[in-house]
Amino acid sequence: MLSDPLFWLAALLAIAVAGISKGGFGSGAAFAATPIMAAVAGPGAALAILLPILALMDLSGIWAYRKRLNWPVALPLMAASALGVLLGWLTYRWTDEAAVQLLIGVIAIGFLAHRLLGGARTADAAPPRRDRAWRLRNAGFWGSAAGFTSFVAHAGGPLVAMHLIPQKLDKTDYQGVTVLFFWFANVLKFGPYAALGLFTEESLTASLILAPLAPLGVALGVWMHSRVDEALFYRVIYVLLLLSGGRLIWSGVAGLTA
């Protein structure tokens, strides 16, 4: 694997996509790094190689947005992610990654259709409920679901977006929530990944070589975030949700019919 030039090309593309998404646009497209890497390294190796890099990106994001970390919104999501990570660990050997991808994709596209065709207009007429009880219920569901999909496919971004978009957060508050959530969820995954035997000498070597690129990708995303206004930011999030949902459906169907 490490002697294959195609692997390194795929790795560079995966890190660029994940870094820009994590650094500037709520991790909405960061999931794409996994199928890019899996195509040249296999699913398990892709998860193992990317986890240390994604965790380093999360730390870079926390530093970049340290003055805008929205703890009240992030903490319920973070707590719920622990349940999802535990479920992912317990069921990993029996989980069909293609089925998970298809499910996430259908949910993402359905949510987007609801927002654009009806839900967003309704929300404009009557602001959505954002009281503490509403946030806790939704954070519990979406946080645990995102923890699970993050564990099995590094694909929690679309589900976190479904919790955050209706709250109409400021773009940087939105970003601050996502960097906290994924930092916490990714830290939780290290022990279970090791217990499952996903880390190997080769995967750790690849992660070490690629690690210096992680902060660079995040820095580019932060630079882009600072130059995008509020309305355009949410349009980008919608587009990323559409693209990620469509790509997940495509990957899921292809995997199930292969």
Side-chain angles (χ1 to χ4, degrees), residues 52-121:
I53 296 169
L54 295 176
L56 183 56
M57 288 179 178
D58 297 326
L59 285 175
S60 300
I62 287 175
W63 175 255
Y65 294 101
R66 61 192 180 279
K67 296 181 180 179
R68 295 292 298 274
L69 298 176
N70 194 325
W71 288 97
V73 176
L75 280 173
L77 276 171
M78 293 163 67
S81 73
L83 177 60
V85 168
L86 177 60
L87 181 61
W89 181 11
L90 296 176
T91 62
Y92 179 78
R93 299 295 187 190
W94 303 279
T95 299
D96 188 324
E97 184 180 345
V100 172
Q101 290 178 329
L102 179 59
L103 178 61
I104 301 169
V106 169
I107 293 172
I109 296 299
F111 171 83
L112 187 60
H114 170 70
R115 291 289 301 172
L116 296 180
L117 298 180
R121 288 194 296 272

Side-chain angles (χ1 to χ4, degrees), residues 17-41:
V17 170
I20 292 171
S21 182
K22 278 181 166 291
F25 301 99
S27 294
F31 89 94
T34 305
I36 292 171
M37 291 288 285
V40 294

Side-chain angles (χ1 to χ4, degrees), residues 83-232:
L83 177 60
V85 168
L86 177 60
L87 181 61
W89 181 11
L90 296 176
T91 62
Y92 179 78
R93 299 295 187 190
W94 303 279
T95 299
D96 188 324
E97 184 180 345
V100 172
Q101 290 178 329
L102 179 59
L103 178 61
I104 301 169
V106 169
I107 293 172
I109 296 299
F111 171 83
L112 187 60
H114 170 70
R115 291 289 301 172
L116 296 180
L117 298 180
R121 288 194 296 272
T122 301
D124 290 338
R129 292 178 62 193
R130 291 183 239 171
D131 56 67
R132 180 176 175 81
W134 181 91
R135 288 198 304 269
L136 289 176
R137 285 196 303 271
N138 283 269
F141 177 79
W142 292 117
S144 57
F148 174 78
T149 58
S150 178
F151 188 92
V152 300
H154 293 322
L159 300 184
V160 171
M162 284 179 241
H163 174 64
L164 295 180
I165 286 174
Q167 299 188 52
K168 298 183 178 179
L169 299 173
D170 169 85
K171 67 170 186 174
T172 308
D173 283 340
Y174 184 114
Q175 191 67 25
V177 173
T178 64
V179 296
L180 284 172
F181 174 84
F182 286 106
W183 162 75
F184 184 74
N186 282 330
V187 167
L188 291 180
K189 287 150 57 176
F190 275 94
Y193 275 28
L196 290 168
L198 295 181
F199 293 123
T200 64
E201 182 179 350
E202 192 174 35
S203 75
L204 292 172
T205 300
S207 298
L208 183 63
I209 293 171
L210 293 167
L213 299 176
L216 297 179
V218 172
L220 181 56
V222 172
W223 180 83
M224 294 172 69
H225 178 91
S226 67
R227 284 156 179 79
V228 172
D229 65 26
E230 197 87 18
L232 182 55

